[in-house]
Amino acid sequence: MVSDKLAKLLILQDRDARHGQLLRQRESIPAEREKARASIAAEEARRKENADALTRLEVEREELEGRVEDLEEAIRKYQTQQLQVKKNEEYGALEHEIATARAKISETEDEELNVLEAIDHKAVANRRDEEEIAERIRVFETELKRLDEAEREVEAAIETGRDAVKAAETDVDPALLESYRFVKTQVKRPPYVVALNDGRCGGCHLKVSGEIESGARKGHDVVRCDNCGRIVYFQR
Ligand SMILES: [Zn+2]
């Protein structure tokens, strides 16, 4: 049992703590939201990377195809020249050029086949990846919706909590409320009002002086721990 005055102060402390907890909860939401957004951006980057890799292969294939067309065009030119030359060695030189170009065409077409194969593999891999990417994005988007909802809920709870704190404050003895507010500015972490346990402060866990202990035992209004400054009370 504690005195009526103290009981009212403890109610205030409880509501204060709850309110503080809600404020921290709200504060953590933007970082969580940022994390989900960054995850979505990472998935989208992966999707783009996949698409770009496929495009690069397609460009490569087009280049090889263009090279084959150029070589075919060169062969047709050599063949036309062959019709016009008079000397055998000139004809032979053109024949050699044509053979070289044909070898290059065959080489390029082999390369093109390899690239075509790579395109097929990449397309299959991209489709498989895309399913996973889309699924993960869905999960993060759901998380974002959940965070919006959580934020709305916590905002409402903060409003209600603030009213509850104000109501509790009006119930507390003014002098005691002033001390409580002062202690809040002095002590880093709640709780600010703690029971003595075996002569030890329930906040810093150090033994208080005999004077403090007896003051608390007598039920004096404001008795503070001589180590940490918290308001201490004796629990009967
Ligand atoms: Zn203490």
Side-chain angles (χ1 to χ4, degrees):
M1 272 299 288
V2 294
S3 70
D4 187 45
K5 274 186 179 180
L6 200 61
K8 283 174 175 162
L9 182 61
L10 289 173
I11 289 173
L12 170 60
Q13 165 160 276
D14 274 353
R15 292 183 183 177
D16 238 354
R18 173 75 189 130
H19 188 241
Q21 203 184 344
L22 290 168
L23 291 178
R24 282 191 297 281
Q25 221 170 304
R26 180 177 62 185
E27 257 173 47
S28 73
I29 291 176
E32 284 180 57
R33 188 179 278 131
E34 223 20 76
K35 214 171 116 188
R37 283 190 183 141
S39 299
I40 290 175
E43 294 300 335
E44 281 167 348
R46 190 169 160 201
R47 174 185 276 160
K48 186 178 181 304
E49 210 173 281
N50 279 343
D52 287 352
L54 193 57
T55 303
R56 279 195 299 276
L57 286 169
E58 273 157 3
V59 167
E60 198 181 333
R61 192 190 66 86
E62 275 165 27
E63 276 168 11
L64 291 169
E65 207 162 83
R67 218 183 293 166
V68 169
E69 279 166 17
D70 289 348
L71 287 163
E72 280 167 349
E73 174 64 29
I75 291 173
R76 277 194 295 278
K77 217 174 71 196
Y78 296 141
Q79 285 169 336
T80 309
Q81 285 171 357
Q82 275 182 326
L83 298 174
Q84 291 155 355
V85 294
K86 305 275 186 306
K87 291 176 186 159
N88 272 343
E89 55 266 35
E90 280 173 354
Y91 189 90
L94 287 165
E95 198 60 31
H96 177 74
E97 291 293 347
I98 289 167
T100 307
R102 283 201 174 120
K104 271 189 198 152
I105 286 175
S106 159
E107 214 174 275
T108 310
E109 280 173 346
D110 284 348
E111 258 180 77
E112 208 184 328
L113 279 177
N114 287 337
V115 173
L116 275 173
E117 207 178 319
I119 287 173
D120 282 348
H121 284 157
K122 188 62 190 159
V124 170
N126 279 6
R127 274 197 294 276
R128 206 175 38 224
D129 254 12
E130 178 52 33
E131 279 173 27
E132 291 175 14
I133 289 169
E135 177 54 30
R136 279 194 293 264
I137 288 178
R138 265 197 297 279
V139 169
F140 294 128
E141 275 168 353
T142 307
E143 170 69 359
L144 283 174
K145 280 200 198 101
R146 187 194 68 78
L147 285 168
D148 285 347
E149 220 167 279
E151 194 172 49
R152 277 194 296 276
E153 275 170 23
V154 84
E155 292 283 2
I158 284 170
E159 283 293 312
T160 316
R162 197 176 290 134
D163 292 344
V165 167
K166 276 188 195 144
E169 276 176 350
T170 55
D171 273 352
V172 175
D173 171 76
L176 204 49
L177 181 60
E178 201 180 312
S179 304
Y180 174 72
R181 283 184 174 153
F182 175 73
V183 171
K184 275 180 80 173
T185 65
Q186 303 298 305
V187 179
K188 270 188 187 159
R189 260 181 294 276
Y192 306 108
V193 188
V194 293
L196 281 179
N197 185 10
D198 210 9
R200 288 177 187 278
C201 162
C204 68
H205 306 295
L206 293 174
K207 221 162 172 67
V208 298
S209 72
E211 197 186 332
I212 302 283
E213 194 181 355
S214 84
R217 213 178 265 275
K218 284 175 193 152
H220 289 169
D221 271 0
V222 181
V223 185
R224 294 175 52 205
C225 168
D226 45 358
N227 299 298
C228 69
R230 288 180 171 89
I231 297 171
V232 293
Y233 61 91
F234 188 79
Q235 198 149 25
R236 267 165 253 275

